[in-house]
């Protein structure tokens, strides 16, 4: 007996509302000062925990995770550059991007010619503040707009400045969140996003918002697979999770990294290392049938946490769903990746495609036609009755004939959709109908 069926269609009015809700969540999370570890990540997870039943896990500093170690926790209080005893010129309170994330503590007086070695700007976009980190190296720095840098430069090389970074590294932990939605089977779909970027909207918050919206949706549906959502710091979070769950990853049947999902660009899917996994076919099918421009790119071991999930030892079927890939939009890793860069309608569109991919995976079963010798007499059984004579009705008739023809226990419904050129949801609805009529098993 099959437990897989169509999800109810998504109402366009609901979709519009989801877009606004996702943008509102991003807006709420934007001011929280996140980093690889520490208070900002905890605060973010605690906020998400008000929406879905998230489990927050703490992995102690120093834990060996494959070739890495969970770093000491960064405790941060304040950072600025000022004239000795005078006004602050660069102040973390004005923009969280001013401080190089995970900088070591500093309390020093430096002449401009030494200070400027620690300053980072982006001359091509002189008003934007870049985002940089000092992860896994003992270093410090400030990021500022090139315009501000030039103003300071004009004051002279010998001018002295006070630099203060009030921070420390302590034996604490790495924090991540996990949400598990049990399905009818233990086999899982993994959905992962990173939560370590401060005040960046597309790179970070869009993925979180889309993941949370999907989790809420799945909680209201019956589903075949179990769904596992990860909210982890990039790279070290994925490495840590994989180390701790090494014995359970065989349950992962399909996976997606969710990132940069809110910009005005078109959808991009990056294939898993396997290249032709079911997730790769499902994502390609949904994007191709969306009728909208899109791009599908091959796996390469640069990018987000697919680098870890698709490392050769794991080689999990995990792809990446995004819009304009990171690094290919000029605002990437700068202060211009802000709440204006992400649009409710783009978030909604990304969400709808993700939901369709999930519905496809969840509904993709293989059946056996119970009347394989010639066609069964469909009219007498009322197979077409529900569909009338509209174009959709004709498409559903075609879908019914395709499903019957290919349901030999060897072809999945995705095979049927790919070979017939019909959208998966239509093939799935045809199968639902044939199951009710006892023509499939
Ligand atoms: Zn990033």
């Amino acid at each position: 007996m099959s437990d897989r069926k169509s999800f109810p269609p998504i109402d366009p009015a609901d979709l519009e509302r989801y877009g606004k809700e996702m943008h509102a969540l991003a807006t709420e999370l934007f001011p929280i000062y996140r980093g690889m570890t520490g208070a900002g990540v905890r605060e973010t997870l605690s906020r998400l925990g008000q929406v879905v039943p998230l489990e927050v896990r703490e992995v102690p500093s120093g834990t060996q995770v494959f070739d890495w170690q969970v770093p000491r926790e960064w405790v941060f209080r304040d950072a600025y550059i000022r004239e000795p005893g005078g006004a602050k010129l660069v102040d973390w309170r004005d923009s969280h991007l001013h401080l190089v994330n995970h900088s070591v503590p500093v309390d020093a007086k430096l002449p401009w010619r030494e200070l400027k070695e620690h300053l980072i700007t982006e001359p091509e976009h002189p008003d934007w503040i870049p985002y940089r980190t000092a992860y896994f190296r003992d270093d410090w720095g400030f990021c500022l707009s090139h315009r501000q840098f030039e103003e300071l430069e004009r004051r002279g090389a010998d001018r002295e400045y006070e630099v203060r970074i009030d921070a420390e590294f302590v034996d604490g932990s790495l924090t991540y969140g996990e949400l598990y939605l049990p399905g009818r089977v233990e086999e899982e779909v993994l959905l992962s996003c990173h939560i370590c970027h401060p005040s960046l909207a597309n790179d970070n918050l869009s993925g979180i918002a889309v993941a949370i919206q999907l989790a809420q949706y799945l909680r209201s549906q019956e589903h075949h697979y179990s769904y596992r959502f990860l909210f982890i710091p990039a790279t070290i979070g994925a490495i840590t999770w994989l180390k701790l769950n090494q014995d359970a990853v065989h349950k992962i049947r399909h996976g997606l990294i969710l990132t940069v999902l809110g910009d005005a660009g078109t959808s991009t899917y990056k294939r898993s290392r396997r290249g032709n996994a079911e997730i790769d076919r499902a994502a390609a099918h949904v994007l191709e049938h969306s009728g909208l421009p899109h791009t599908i790119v091959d796996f390469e071991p640069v990018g987000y946490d697919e680098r870890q999930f698709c490392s050769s030892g794991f080689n999990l079927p995990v792809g990446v769903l995004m819009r304009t890939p990171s690094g290919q939009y000029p605002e990437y890793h700068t202060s211009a990746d802000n709440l204006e860069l992400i649009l409710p309608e783009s978030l909604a569109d990304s969400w709808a495609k993700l939901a369709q991919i999930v519905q496809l995976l969840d509904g993709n079963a293989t059946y056996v036609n119970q009347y394989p010798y010639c066609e069964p007499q469909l009219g007498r059984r009322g197979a077409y009755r529900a569909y009338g004579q509209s174009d959709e009705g004709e498409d559903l008739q075609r879908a019914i004939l395709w499903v019957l023809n290919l349901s030999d226990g060897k072809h999945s419904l995705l095979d049927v959709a790919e070979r017939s050129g019909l959208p998966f949801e239509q093939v799935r609805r045809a199968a639902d109908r044939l199951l009710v009529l006892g023509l499939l098993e």
Side-chain angles (χ1 to χ4, degrees), residues 131 194 196-197 200 203-204 234 259 304 326 332-333:
Y131 160 64
H194 61 285
C196 48
H197 289 29
L200 293 167
D203 181 8
N204 199 168
T259 185
Y304 289 96
S326 61
Y332 172 71
H333 279 192

Side-chain angles (χ1 to χ4, degrees), residues 115-141:
L115 171 60
K116 72 188 229 183
E117 299 303 315
H118 291 273
L119 302 182
I120 300 155
T121 70
E122 207 168 286
E124 321 80 90
H125 299 285
D127 292 316
W128 298 355
I129 304 164
Y131 160 64
R132 294 288 187 280
T133 68
Y135 291 167
F136 298 102
R137 58 197 169 88
D138 290 336
D139 200 359
W140 63 272

Side-chain angles (χ1 to χ4, degrees), residues 54-364:
L54 204 61
E55 287 196 45
V56 176
R57 303 193 197 276
E58 303 276 356
V59 184
S61 306
T63 305
Q64 191 71 33
V65 288
F66 299 116
D67 199 38
W68 301 63
Q69 264 192 359
V70 171
R72 299 184 90 196
E73 186 177 319
W74 191 57
V75 177
F76 170 79
R77 286 176 285 268
D78 199 8
Y80 55 83
I81 301 169
R82 69 174 180 186
E83 300 233 79
K88 289 177 186 171
L89 300 165
V90 179
D91 187 352
W92 168 84
R93 287 168 202 277
D94 295 335
S95 166
H96 289 167
L97 304 189
H98 274 322
L99 180 65
V100 170
N101 205 298
H102 267 232
S103 282
V104 296
V106 176
D107 191 358
K109 278 199 180 107
L110 295 175
W112 172 250
R113 79 186 102 76
E114 278 178 45
L115 171 60
K116 72 188 229 183
E117 299 303 315
H118 291 273
L119 302 182
I120 300 155
T121 70
E122 207 168 286
E124 321 80 90
H125 299 285
D127 292 316
W128 298 355
I129 304 164
Y131 160 64
R132 294 288 187 280
T133 68
Y135 291 167
F136 298 102
R137 58 197 169 88
D138 290 336
D139 200 359
W140 63 272
F142 282 83
C143 299
L144 59 165
S145 73
H146 197 66
R147 233 177 268 291
Q148 194 179 5
F149 178 88
E150 285 176 327
E151 273 170 36
L152 293 171
E153 176 95 319
R154 274 194 288 271
R155 295 159 150 237
D158 295 326
R159 191 116 171 197
E160 201 166 65
Y161 296 93
E162 265 181 36
V163 179
R164 176 124 170 96
I165 300 174
D166 184 2
E168 61 185 315
F169 290 91
V170 301
D171 281 324
S173 55
L174 176 145
T175 314
Y176 68 86
E178 193 162 358
L179 171 68
Y180 180 67
L181 303 176
R184 298 187 202 92
V185 296
E186 278 202 342
E187 294 166 319
E188 291 178 11
V189 179
L190 181 81
L191 298 146
S192 182
C193 57
H194 61 285
I195 51 155
C196 48
H197 289 29
S199 304
L200 293 167
N202 200 30
D203 181 8
N204 199 168
L205 295 177
S206 68
I208 297 172
V210 169
I212 287 288
Q213 198 75 36
L214 183 73
Q216 286 176 282
Y217 173 76
L218 283 171
R219 289 181 75 207
S220 69
Q221 305 292 336
E222 296 259 309
H223 44 85
H224 171 77
Y225 285 115
S226 296
Y227 287 82
R228 189 178 299 278
F229 291 81
L230 301 182
F231 300 88
I232 52 180
T235 309
I236 188 68
I239 292 168
T240 301
W241 187 87
L242 282 163
K243 176 65 184 173
L244 299 179
N245 293 278
Q246 204 172 354
D247 297 333
V249 294
H250 64 271
K251 291 183 193 159
I252 298 170
R253 284 285 170 276
H254 320 284
L256 278 176
I257 309 290
L258 303 174
T259 185
V260 291
L261 289 165
D263 60 277
T266 56
S267 291
T268 303
Y269 175 72
K270 176 178 168 181
R271 293 190 184 102
S272 72
R273 179 177 182 270
R274 298 185 190 183
N276 197 30
E278 195 174 322
I279 182 66
D280 301 319
R281 293 169 58 201
H285 181 86
V286 166
L287 293 185
E288 276 155 20
H289 282 267
S290 70
L292 297 169
H294 61 272
T295 313
I296 295 173
V297 296
D298 272 326
F299 175 80
E300 53 170 340
V302 291
Y304 289 96
D305 284 334
E306 68 276 19
R307 291 174 3 227
Q308 317 310 330
F309 292 108
C310 297
S311 56
S312 63
F314 286 107
N315 195 23
L316 293 169
V318 174
V320 187
L321 187 65
M322 48 194 161
R323 295 185 86 81
T324 309
S326 61
Q328 293 182 25
Y329 59 99
E331 298 89 349
Y332 172 71
H333 279 192
T334 74
S335 54
D337 183 350
N338 57 31
L339 292 165
E340 280 152 41
L341 185 72
I342 60 170
L343 310 172
E345 49 276 27
S346 295
L347 292 165
D349 179 68
S350 297
W351 185 89
K353 285 167 178 157
L354 173 63
Q356 286 173 51
I357 293 169
V358 162
Q359 290 179 358
L360 194 163
L361 296 169
D362 215 77
N364 185 26

Side-chain angles (χ1 to χ4, degrees), residues 4-6 285 289 360 363-367 387 392 395-407 411-435 440:
R4 299 192 179 203
K5 43 178 131 30
S6 308
H285 181 86
H289 282 267
L360 194 163
N364 185 26
T366 300
Y367 297 109
Y387 307 122
E392 192 198 48
D395 279 350
L396 272 160
Q397 286 191 21
R398 274 167 56 76
I400 282 174
L401 295 173
W402 269 109
V403 171
L404 283 172
N405 185 278
L406 286 179
S407 288
H411 294 91
S412 70
L413 294 182
L414 180 56
D415 292 328
V416 177
E418 286 177 341
R419 189 152 168 192
S420 66
L422 292 165
F424 179 85
E425 56 183 70
Q426 212 150 51
V427 170
R428 181 64 257 183
R429 255 183 290 155
D432 291 343
R433 184 89 186 131
L434 293 168
L435 285 161
L440 286 187

